Amino acid sequence: MLETLVGMELGEIQGLLSKLEGASVPAFRARQVYDAIYRQRVGGPEQITTLSKSLRAKLATELAFGLPRVRSVYTSSDGTRRYLLELADGKTIESVLMPEGERHTFCISSQVGCPVNCRFCLTAQLGLERNLTAGEIVGQVLLLAAFHGLSASIQKLNVVMMGQGEPLLNLDQVMKAVRLLADPQGVGLSERRLTLSTSGIVPKIDELGQHRVRPKLAISLNASTEEQRRALMPITRKYTLRDLLEACRRYPLRPWEHLTFEYVLLRGVNDSDADARRVVKLLGKLRCKVNLIALNPGPGIPFETPEPERVASFQSIVKRSLPCFVRKPRGRDIFAACGQLKRMAESEALIGIRPRSELEVGAPFASRPVERQTEPVANR
Ligand code: SAH
Ligand code: SF4
């Protein structure tokens, strides 16, 4: 596969230009290329108009630009959009856009599939196909921002690494992407608006804490005892709940920061009042908040969603001691909600999603995706 421009840091672009143009290439050329990719967010080297035509042509022949291609877009009745994106090697991932007034949240993927095998998660059924490169991670943000015309308002964007994959099992590429996203000379997002969610890869949590520029940390707790967590998240055999909480206690929070614990509520499994009290005990001494997520169902997921009253009771117990919120499910009807990302284009028939109409959405670049509107899903 060709090298890609998207994903290169300034020093790498400098090296590339000296290779293409010789050592005499002025230093500001690399800065112009970097600015065009990450700040102007152009769609390809031919649009970098500060460069000579011959250099643009060289870039176009020697490298791939590296933005993913949009294969389809699914729009939910609540405005959420699920993008099925195709990578250079034909593999596909998903990114989700959740509009909320002026503020948008992008949920992006860090791996193709996921190796972690949580019992309640559809992505787990894919297994791990491969890690994403930094360019493929940043490319999701660049592409979605361009599609939604977010030029001035990009600073208000929240980006969460809660799509496909376990970001801490691809930490080097994830951190390179974070540097590009958080660079004021690059994409320019605030690190306070970047969040990484992990199933609890203990040594990598320590490693993450060593980075000067880093996203906020969310931990998928999902259980109130060691045994329960082992049954739901087999990774707990390797990284116990006890070690995970130890890592949380020594994690170097910045003055403005708190940890977020996510807790997927599974009916009759981990959603009792006793579970809620144990969660408070486990987390009580940490500077943190808790986000409850009622299970988003899916084919082959052997659990049920609790009744709203159960969720409310659980929340009211935790809330006495810790900030505790219930995460509103977004885009469940198009399988875009947490844990539902499993490349439904391949399995549309399986879950009953059918394209009802095909219409073009305003694409900023050459590729124009097909928008699919969906029938309600049968199992809800
Ligand atoms: N791999 C990372 C990030 C992606 S999963 C992690 O596990 O943290 C993002 C969130 O979705 C996690 O908190 C996970 O527990 C939650 N989740 C997974 N499957 C879900 C489901 N079926 N319903 C609701 N939330 C789910
Ligand atoms: Fe992977 Fe997260 Fe799904 Fe677990 S919940 S299988 S870690 S994507």
Side-chain angles (χ1 to χ4, degrees), residues 61-74:
T61 44
E62 297 289 320
L63 296 110
F65 190 60
L67 285 178
R69 205 176 68 81
V70 178
R71 254 227 216 143
S72 346
V73 186
Y74 301 79

Side-chain angles (χ1 to χ4, degrees), residues 111 113-125 162-167 197-200 220 222 233 235 264 339:
Q111 298 183 308
C114 180
V116 176
N117 208 16
C118 303
R119 300 281 183 243
F120 43 79
C121 175
L122 269 183
T123 311
Q125 296 175 3
M162 295 188 186
Q164 283 182 12
E166 168 47 61
S197 174
T198 179
S199 57
S220 300
N222 297 340
M233 303 177 70
I235 191 86
V264 181

Side-chain angles (χ1 to χ4, degrees), residues 213-227:
V213 176
R214 60 187 137 95
K216 294 192 293 182
L217 179 59
I219 314 254
S220 300
L221 181 65
N222 297 340
S224 71
T225 68
E226 201 78 66
E227 301 68 52

Side-chain angles (χ1 to χ4, degrees), residues 278-338:
R278 281 193 292 266
V279 165
V280 168
K281 249 191 158 158
L282 291 174
L283 306 182
K285 293 211 173 69
L286 290 163
R287 192 158 91 222
C288 70
K289 71 167 184 184
V290 178
N291 279 345
L292 302 176
I293 317 170
L295 175 78
N296 296 309
I301 302 284
F303 300 105
E304 288 172 60
T305 309
E307 297 298 332
E309 302 75 44
R310 185 83 302 275
V311 177
S313 172
F314 197 104
Q315 182 190 21
S316 71
I317 293 170
V318 178
K319 235 166 105 174
R320 283 184 223 137
S321 309
L322 294 165
C324 179
F325 305 90
V326 178
R327 194 183 291 159
K328 198 163 60 172
R330 300 287 309 257
R332 262 194 197 169
D333 55 344
I334 53 161
F335 274 69
C338 293

Side-chain angles (χ1 to χ4, degrees), residues 205-262:
I205 292 177
D206 290 323
E207 197 179 321
L208 178 69
Q210 305 304 311
H211 286 267
R212 193 181 54 80
V213 176
R214 60 187 137 95
K216 294 192 293 182
L217 179 59
I219 314 254
S220 300
L221 181 65
N222 297 340
S224 71
T225 68
E226 201 78 66
E227 301 68 52
Q228 203 182 58
R229 197 169 196 274
R230 228 178 289 133
L232 297 173
M233 303 177 70
I235 191 86
T236 309
R237 280 186 226 134
K238 194 160 179 195
Y239 305 117
T240 63
L241 179 55
R242 192 192 147 123
D243 290 349
L244 174 60
L245 292 170
E246 266 307 309
C248 292
R249 278 191 279 276
R250 62 177 177 261
Y251 190 74
L253 287 171
R254 291 156 286 190
W256 47 267
E257 193 178 11
H258 57 256
L259 293 169
T260 298
F261 286 91
E262 295 149 291

